[in-house]
């Protein structure tokens, strides 16, 4: 049996741990199996860049960040450089004798995986994203590592904020979901948390931060890149390649608060790709390992057209068709929302 594995979309801590666990579990459980790593996500499937993976290649990867296979977040085979290259990708899969494909990635990668499954390619998905926004999955690997970066940044900024009597704003990733800002803000003791699902009114936010400044002499704000004030829109940045991406809300808050509060210095820190890099936390190493083994078991049983997911602290299989194109956002009455409200960090 020949099994291909790819990592698509943005990188995150834990990808290599999944590759390791998947490869070792397949070699252990499926006699004669060959595992082929597909380089740079679906681009490698289009262009035919594959290489063999064995125990010696993957054994030391549990704590290594990034992905040894490389990744790509724009190589959509169904719309690649203005054309449909899915037939080319399927031809590569046939030429290489792939009897299964394990696609490790976020909602975009899993959506593409669902489309290849519909074309007849046996696919198993593994959910990956620091944003924790994959439908049907309670916890994605990479998320805990990103939250740890946010919490550490807030902890460090608290001392400099207190020293200078400043308001410090930390902008996190997360796209249209507020999980990173919410959990990172709670872990880092933020005084105000702004997430896409619960917009603040600017005047209410300013009044709240005034109270915190009066009480403790400084204030910390944790804001998701997709957040907005309830009287405004999300903030987008145009990149040199012409692509617009979410970002800039932290600096917009600096300007908005500074205009209403000139006597207080407001500074912003954008964490950006710091949240993606480095070694995974112990939690993410274990979760990645669980997902990799669960994917290997699905391949062994021939349960294709599904993605691994964590539900109730159990690894289960969810149909790719129910995940494709979906986005898991913070529910209005989630326990973390209630915690943040009880602490005054979210609007009621």
């Amino acid at each position: 049996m020949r099994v291909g594995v790819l990592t698509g979309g943005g990188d995150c801590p834990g990808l290599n741990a999944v590759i390791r666990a998947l490869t070792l579990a397949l070699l252990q459980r499926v006699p004669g199996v060959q595992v082929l790593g597909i380089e740079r996500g679906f681009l490698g499937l289009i262009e035919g860049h594959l290489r063999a993976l064995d125990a010696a290649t993957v054994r030391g990867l549990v704590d290594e960040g990034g992905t040894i296979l490389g990744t790509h977040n724009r190589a959509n085979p169904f719309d690649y450089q203005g054309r449909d290259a899915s037939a080319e990708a399927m031809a590569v899969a046939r030429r290489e004798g792939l009897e299964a494909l394990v696609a490790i990635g976020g909602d975009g990668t899993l959506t593409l995986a669902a489309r290849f499954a519909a074309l007849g390619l046996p696919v198993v998905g593994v959910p990956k994203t620091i944003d924790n926004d994959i439908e049907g999955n309670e916890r994605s690997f990479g998320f805990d590592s990103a939250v740890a970066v946010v919490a550490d940044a807030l902890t460090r900024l608290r001392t400099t904020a207190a020293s200078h009597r400043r308001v410090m704003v930390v902008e996190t990733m997360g796209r249209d979901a507020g999980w990173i800002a919410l959990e990172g803000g709670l872990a880092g003791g933020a005084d105000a948390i702004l997430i896409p699902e619960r917009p603040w009114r600017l005047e209410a936010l300013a009044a709240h931060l005034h109270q915190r400044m009066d009480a403790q002499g400084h204030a910390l704000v944790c804001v998701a890149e997709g957040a907005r004030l309830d009287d405004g829109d999300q903030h987008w940045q145009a990149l040199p390649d012409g692509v617009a991406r979410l970002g800039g809300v932290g600096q917009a808050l600096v300007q908005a608060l500074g205009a209403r509060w000139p006597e207080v210095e407001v500074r912003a820190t954008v964490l950006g790709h710091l949240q993606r890099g480095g070694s995974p936390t112990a939690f993410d190493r274990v979760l990645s390992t669980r997902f990799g083994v669960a994917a290997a078991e699905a391949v062994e049983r021939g349960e294709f057209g599904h993605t691994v997911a964590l539900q109730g602290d159990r690894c289960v299989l969810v149909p790719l068709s129910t995940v494709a194109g979906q986005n898991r956002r913070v529910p209005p009455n989630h326990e973390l929302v209630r915690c943040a409200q009880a602490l005054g960090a979210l609007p009621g």
Side-chain angles (χ1 to χ4, degrees):
M1 186 178 193
R2 290 167 71 84
V3 180
V5 55
L6 62 81
T7 54
D11 66 300
C12 81
L15 284 167
N16 281 324
V18 176
I19 296 169
R20 167 185 176 269
L22 172 74
T23 302
L24 294 179
L26 285 172
L27 293 173
Q28 179 78 14
R29 301 175 68 101
V30 182
V33 71
Q34 292 179 291
V35 184
L36 300 176
I38 302 168
E39 299 180 341
R40 300 203 70 196
F42 284 103
L43 182 63
L45 197 60
I46 297 171
E47 298 181 345
H49 298 306
L50 293 80
R51 58 189 173 95
L53 299 177
D54 57 21
T57 305
V58 304
R59 200 172 290 282
L61 295 179
V62 68
D63 60 349
E64 187 173 323
T67 165
I68 62 168
L69 297 178
T71 188
H72 202 292
N73 57 11
R74 296 190 194 174
N76 176 356
F78 297 92
D79 185 14
Y80 179 61
Q81 296 181 347
R83 61 186 175 86
D84 186 345
S86 60
E88 298 169 41
M90 290 293 288
V92 169
R94 287 191 296 270
R95 186 191 73 202
E96 297 292 338
L98 295 185
E99 298 174 61
L101 171 67
V102 177
I104 310 169
D107 56 352
T109 298
L110 296 180
T111 297
L112 294 176
R115 296 187 69 176
F116 275 107
L119 293 178
L121 185 62
V123 178
V124 173
V126 177
K128 172 266 350 167
T129 172
I130 67 170
D131 302 329
N132 203 37
D133 63 350
I134 296 176
E135 183 65 31
N137 181 57
E138 295 174 1
R139 196 87 172 182
S140 302
F141 70 87
F143 173 65
D144 188 72
S145 300
V147 166
V149 171
V150 176
D152 181 66
L154 287 166
T155 300
R156 292 174 181 274
L157 288 169
R158 181 184 300 111
T159 58
T160 186
S163 298
H164 291 273
R165 297 186 63 84
R166 288 174 176 155
V167 175
M168 303 296 281
V169 177
V170 175
E171 181 180 324
T172 76
M173 286 182 165
R175 299 190 301 179
D176 291 315
W179 295 105
I180 296 178
L182 179 56
E183 194 158 320
L186 285 170
D191 299 293
I193 300 171
L194 283 73
I195 60 177
E197 297 87 347
R198 298 189 73 86
W200 281 81
R201 288 187 301 106
L202 179 58
E203 296 305 327
L205 176 63
H208 174 69
L209 294 177
H210 262 293
Q211 293 175 349
R212 302 311 303 150
M213 288 291 293
D214 290 342
Q216 62 193 25
H218 66 279
L220 295 176
V221 179
C222 187
V223 55
E225 63 185 357
R228 60 181 176 83
L229 298 169
D230 67 359
D231 53 356
D233 298 320
Q234 289 179 319
H235 290 266
W236 294 81
Q237 295 176 323
L239 300 182
D241 57 8
V243 176
R245 293 181 182 170
L246 282 170
V249 64
Q251 193 58 45
L253 276 176
V254 169
Q255 295 174 356
L257 292 171
R260 289 163 172 76
W261 208 354
E263 70 275 15
V264 174
E265 190 172 5
V266 186
R267 296 281 186 93
T269 299
V270 181
L271 296 180
H273 287 79
L274 285 172
Q275 297 157 93
R276 291 194 178 281
S279 181
T281 61
F283 180 92
D284 276 341
R285 296 179 201 184
V286 174
L287 182 59
S288 299
T289 300
R290 293 172 67 185
F291 278 1
V293 170
E297 292 174 344
V299 170
E300 181 187 18
R301 295 191 301 263
E303 296 189 54
F304 300 115
H306 291 78
T307 180
V308 177
L310 189 71
Q311 294 182 0
D313 200 33
R314 292 179 58 249
C315 285
V316 300
L317 293 179
V318 175
L320 280 167
S321 59
T322 66
V323 174
Q326 302 300 310
N327 183 252
R328 175 178 173 268
R329 305 183 71 189
V330 178
N333 295 316
H334 193 277
E335 183 182 0
L336 293 180
V337 170
R338 298 198 304 272
C339 286
Q341 288 175 326
L343 299 175
L346 271 181

